[in-house]
Amino acid sequence: MGHVEIWVLTMCVIFQSGYGFYLPGSYPHKYVVGDPLSVKVNSLTSIDTEMPFSYYSLPFCKPKEGVKDSAENLGELLMGDRIENSPYKFKMYVNESEIFLCQSKKLSADDFKLLKKRIDEMYQVNLILDNLPAIRYTKKEDFMLRWTGYPVGVKVQNVYYLFNHLKFKVLIHKYEETSVARVMGTGDAVEVMPTVTKEGSDMPGHMVVGFEVVPCSVVHDGNLVNKLKMYEKYRSPIKCDPNAVSMPIKEGEPIVFTYEVAFEESDIKWPSRWDAYLKMEGSKVHWFSILNSLMVITFLAGIVLVIFLRTVRRDLTRYEELDKESQVQMNEELSGWKLVVGDVFRAPSNPAVLCILIGDGVQILGMAIVTILFAALGFMSPASRGTLITGMLFFYLILGIAAGYVAVRLWRTIGCGDHKGWISVAWKAACFFPGIAFLILTILNFLLWGSHSTGAIPFAVFVILLLLWFCISVPLTLVGGYFGAKAHHIEYPVRTNQIPREIPAQKYPSWLLVLGAGTLPFGTLFIELFFIMSSIWMGRVYYVFGFLFIVLILLVVVCAEVSLVLTYMHLCVEDWKWWWKSFFASGSVAIYIFLYSINYLIFDLKSLSGPVSATLYLGYSLFMVLAVMLATGTVGFLSSFWFVHYLFASVKLD
């Protein structure tokens, strides 16, 4: 078994007890003609409120066997997905029409009010067949638009109409028997799984490669449905016209639900079945503009780096070429960074806080790099709902070791090898970022609980998250801290004077420069940020992780360069307080991301309604911005620390 299989298996053991080690949708399922197919329902969603609700919170038909939750992972629960069984049942390659589902009870005042509210808020019904979400096509002028799910209903001239008849189309492809299921392409597989041969495997079978739905609003004759049972045939033909609505909802009147299904052979092969979702309208990556942005940023960063290297090298070479007498004379006329030699490694203010932030930043950055790399390799495909969040959580917990190690080693370096207080630093590093995350999550969760949304994290999951935090993350961080305390601290190349040198008055406040420095890293990611925001808040599928990985690496490089240049500029004007400034020089990109998210809320999420939705949006944005600040600030600080150490170790000054 390879390392990757072990990782996947471990993840599933931790997060999915009693669940098979392959993830849903990771291998082709063979269906023989007449085999049952069951449709599942996910939460009702809306880009208008961003609050998911259970499908059965509305007066829809319930399955005969009762409502049951499907197997879920932690990521799905955290994302607000609630996958349940539905009454919609098909038989493979058996076309059926006019199937009666049920007649609801007479609509109570509450149900009527709730239906109207959900239609006003543009809620979508999300159905899933063989792990494929239902897709709906609409024509606008000459363009064909793709949507996942279908609206609950529509409002026309102050009358509310419900979509109560569904026309399903299932696209199927002949099952190709191979010794190993070839599952490449869009990364629809968690891993390459051997096909399981069952009895009757010699019979011709099919795979589901597409699932389309056309919703219709149809008036049914109440007399024809009185004695009908579920799945019996409705006694008159149903004309499904998606462009006309005729079923208004009225208080005190029941609603009749029906459906039809048609199977169609398709050329789409199993590995390509997710292509339709990954090419959703509006989410095509504008490669040209992104590459253009990357070229500009790389060019700028290159120029900055070349100028900066030449300046430092010239200073060092000039100094080393002089004879001893000239060096003594030059020491008397020293200017710039050489003057702060006795103060450059003076401990910063609040050293413990800095160590904690750097430790947490290493943990977040490591999690981001590993998760995006795994996603880019196709291990976290959209076919496996919640895997991305589950993976992020898993990698974050494991990387607690790195957080503890870096925080404590930096603490010992600042304290010149002193062990004192390392447990306190490791403990605070284990609690700082997760503590803030829990605080934000709890506040937002109370808002969601109050709204009865499925987006609210169940209490049991809260307990699981707390156990993961205190039973895995905290101990691992303390273990990392122990290794950090044992490791040899980094020795400074120069001695620090007892009396701090006075910093000359500056023409302009240095913090202005620090805040302005964040614009360059922001330039590398703002286009990608738009697609990520659209994925999170507009319900689009994001799947260009390979590109995201390149952007992340570029961001790390630019953050390091920006921080180096700013540190050098501060040292040149005899400002030796570089520790915190190097952290915030690259960390200030978070300010611009937060401003961008407010801009996105005002101009792109115009439909977002209500204070609860806006609070949710701002709460999650704040959480994201804090994580970005810690990760980018850490890159800036560590690169500056390496640079200052290298610079003063290269030139011997008495």
Side-chain angles (χ1 to χ4, degrees):
M1 214 186 215
H3 294 298
V4 171
E5 283 86 348
I6 292 164
W7 275 99
V8 174
L9 186 58
T10 313
M11 277 169 67
C12 296
V13 167
I14 292 174
F15 296 115
Q16 292 170 261
S17 51
Y19 199 48
F21 90 83
Y22 54 80
L23 291 160
S26 61
Y27 67 102
H29 197 129
K30 176 183 174 182
Y31 296 99
V32 178
V33 174
D35 274 1
L37 292 169
S38 294
V39 175
K40 292 178 179 175
V41 288
N42 203 338
S43 302
L44 304 171
T45 54
S46 164
I47 58 168
D48 191 48
T49 66
E50 299 298 345
M51 286 190 286
F53 288 98
S54 165
Y55 174 82
Y56 294 108
S57 62
L58 292 181
F60 291 134
C61 302
K62 290 183 180 173
K64 275 182 178 176
E65 65 272 22
V67 178
K68 290 172 188 165
D69 278 345
S70 284
E72 288 171 313
N73 56 43
L74 199 58
E76 268 179 24
L77 291 166
L78 292 173
M79 286 169 70
D81 284 343
R82 294 291 182 275
I83 299 173
E84 296 160 316
N85 57 338
S86 85
Y88 297 104
K89 296 199 184 323
F90 312 147
K91 291 190 188 100
M92 173 52 85
Y93 223 158
V94 178
N95 293 348
E96 294 177 282
S97 59
E98 289 102 33
I99 302 168
F100 169 73
L101 207 55
C102 78
Q103 181 173 11
S104 72
K105 292 177 183 171
K106 290 179 178 176
L107 285 184
S108 65
D110 288 344
D111 281 342
F112 178 64
K113 194 173 160 191
L114 188 62
L115 269 173
K116 286 202 304 182
K117 189 175 180 219
R118 294 288 178 261
I119 292 169
D120 276 336
E121 291 169 341
M122 302 190 297
Y123 268 86
Q124 301 276 323
V125 178
N126 299 295
L127 305 172
I128 301 164
L129 176 68
D130 193 45
N131 206 41
L132 278 180
I135 203 165
R136 177 172 61 98
Y137 292 92
T138 57
K139 202 166 184 181
K140 193 174 183 184
E141 292 160 7
D142 292 333
F143 294 101
M144 192 62 95
L145 300 174
R146 300 182 188 92
W147 311 85
T148 47
Y150 68 90
V152 171
V154 66
K155 183 182 179 184
V156 182
Q157 295 170 348
N158 287 330
V159 180
Y160 292 87
Y161 295 90
L162 188 79
F163 290 121
N164 61 332
H165 177 83
L166 300 181
K167 184 179 181 178
F168 294 110
K169 189 204 280 185
V170 181
L171 303 179
I172 53 175
H173 188 82
K174 276 206 176 79
Y175 185 81
E176 292 156 2
E177 191 73 60
T178 49
S179 58
V180 171
R182 283 175 67 253
V183 272
M184 293 163 72
T186 58
D188 197 30
V190 165
E191 54 191 284
V192 177
M193 294 285 298
T195 52
V196 181
T197 51
K198 296 185 283 186
E199 285 180 33
S201 62
D202 53 335
M203 290 177 70
H206 292 87
M207 301 173 288
V208 176
V209 292
F211 182 38
E212 296 172 17
V213 64
V214 176
C216 298
S217 178
V218 179
V219 173
H220 296 91
D221 187 341
N223 299 321
L224 292 178
V225 297
N226 281 340
K227 292 180 182 176
L228 282 181
K229 289 180 183 168
M230 194 180 266
Y231 307 124
E232 286 185 355
K233 205 170 171 74
Y234 183 70
R235 288 174 190 143
S236 82
I238 297 170
K239 189 172 180 258
C240 178
D241 180 3
N243 299 316
V245 285
S246 57
M247 176 63 214
I249 53 169
K250 291 174 186 167
E251 193 178 330
E253 287 191 15
I255 302 164
V256 175
F257 293 92
T258 53
Y259 70 97
E260 61 188 276
V261 60
F263 287 82
E264 190 179 292
E265 289 218 19
S266 166
D267 294 332
I268 299 168
K269 288 193 163 63
W270 168 267
S272 311
R273 69 180 199 150
W274 273 89
D275 287 4
Y277 304 88
L278 305 180
K279 290 173 187 162
M280 299 299 278
E281 292 301 321
S283 66
K284 284 179 184 171
V285 179
H286 306 302
W287 289 101
F288 179 75
S289 61
I290 290 180
L291 287 172
N292 182 44
S293 164
L294 291 184
M295 282 166 68
V296 170
I297 293 298
T298 314
F299 183 63
L300 272 173
I303 291 175
V304 161
L305 197 63
V306 168
I307 293 171
F308 151 71
L309 279 175
R310 281 184 64 184
T311 311
V312 177
R313 275 281 155 87
R314 197 176 61 231
D315 273 7
L316 287 174
T317 314
R318 245 179 70 207
Y319 186 77
E320 282 163 5
E321 279 174 357
L322 297 170
D323 55 32
K324 285 192 177 175
E325 272 183 47
S326 305
Q327 279 190 13
V328 171
Q329 192 184 345
M330 193 178 167
N331 279 351
E332 289 169 13
E333 302 164 7
L334 279 180
S335 63
W337 57 269
K338 301 173 203 76
L339 284 171
V340 294
V341 64
D343 297 278
V344 73
F345 290 109
R346 190 175 299 285
S349 53
N350 304 314
V353 178
L354 183 65
C355 295
I356 291 159
L357 296 184
I358 299 302
D360 281 356
V362 166
Q363 192 175 5
I364 293 161
L365 186 67
M367 174 204 72
I369 291 171
V370 177
T371 309
I372 294 169
L373 184 62
F374 266 70
L377 293 171
F379 285 84
M380 295 174 183
S381 80
S384 313
R385 275 171 212 82
T387 335
L388 194 67
I389 303 285
T390 309
M392 285 171 79
L393 202 56
F394 175 73
F395 294 131
Y396 182 80
L397 293 173
I398 297 299
L399 285 163
I401 291 179
Y405 178 83
V406 172
V408 171
R409 194 160 180 217
L410 183 62
W411 169 252
R412 289 194 59 222
T413 298
I414 291 172
C416 299
D418 189 8
H419 283 82
K420 205 171 131 191
W422 75 264
I423 294 175
S424 167
V425 168
W427 172 254
K428 285 170 185 167
C431 296
F432 175 72
F433 180 71
I436 294 174
F438 259 92
L439 184 68
I440 294 172
L441 266 179
T442 309
I443 293 166
L444 297 182
N445 226 41
F446 276 118
L447 290 174
L448 288 163
W449 266 330
S451 308
H452 305 290
S453 167
T454 58
I457 300 167
F459 182 72
V461 176
F462 244 100
V463 174
I464 290 168
L465 288 174
L466 282 166
L467 287 173
L468 288 173
W469 180 14
F470 286 107
C471 298
I472 297 176
S473 184
V474 171
L476 284 178
T477 311
L478 290 170
V479 167
Y482 173 77
F483 286 122
K486 288 282 177 197
H488 190 65
H489 70 281
I490 301 161
E491 288 186 9
Y492 297 145
V494 290
R495 285 199 307 272
T496 302
N497 296 338
Q498 284 188 321
I499 301 163
R501 180 188 176 85
E502 196 178 334
I503 297 169
Q506 309 296 332
K507 290 177 187 173
Y508 48 85
S510 59
W511 285 103
L512 275 178
L513 207 58
V514 168
L515 292 176
T519 52
L520 201 62
F522 180 70
T524 58
L525 60 83
F526 82 96
I527 294 176
E528 201 58 28
L529 199 60
F530 170 77
F531 292 108
I532 294 167
M533 298 286 256
S534 300
S535 161
I536 297 170
W537 302 107
M538 296 287 208
R540 292 171 184 156
V541 180
Y542 183 89
Y543 205 63
V544 282
F545 289 109
F547 192 80
L548 183 61
F549 188 71
I550 296 166
V551 170
L552 181 67
I553 297 303
L554 206 81
L555 177 68
V556 168
V557 171
V558 173
C559 283
E561 288 173 350
V562 162
S563 200
L564 283 185
V565 173
L566 229 77
T567 301
Y568 182 65
M569 286 169 71
H570 280 121
L571 294 178
C572 281
V573 292
E574 299 171 41
D575 183 353
W576 47 266
K577 292 185 176 178
W578 59 272
W579 300 76
W580 279 105
K581 284 166 192 168
S582 66
F583 178 85
F584 287 115
S586 51
S588 62
V589 67
I591 297 167
Y592 299 98
I593 292 175
F594 192 66
L595 292 173
Y596 178 84
S597 49
I598 291 169
N599 169 73
Y600 189 84
L601 173 66
I602 296 164
F603 295 105
D604 292 273
L605 291 178
K606 290 175 188 163
S607 61
L608 203 66
S609 62
V612 175
S613 301
T615 309
L616 282 174
Y617 174 84
L618 290 171
Y620 287 127
S621 296
L622 203 64
F623 175 64
M624 177 181 78
V625 160
L626 178 68
V628 169
M629 186 193 79
L630 291 173
T632 53
T634 296
V635 171
F637 172 80
L638 293 177
S639 57
S640 287
F641 184 85
W642 167 83
F643 164 68
V644 172
H645 193 279
Y646 172 79
L647 185 64
F648 285 92
S650 304
V651 58
K652 299 283 178 273
L653 292 165
D654 294 322

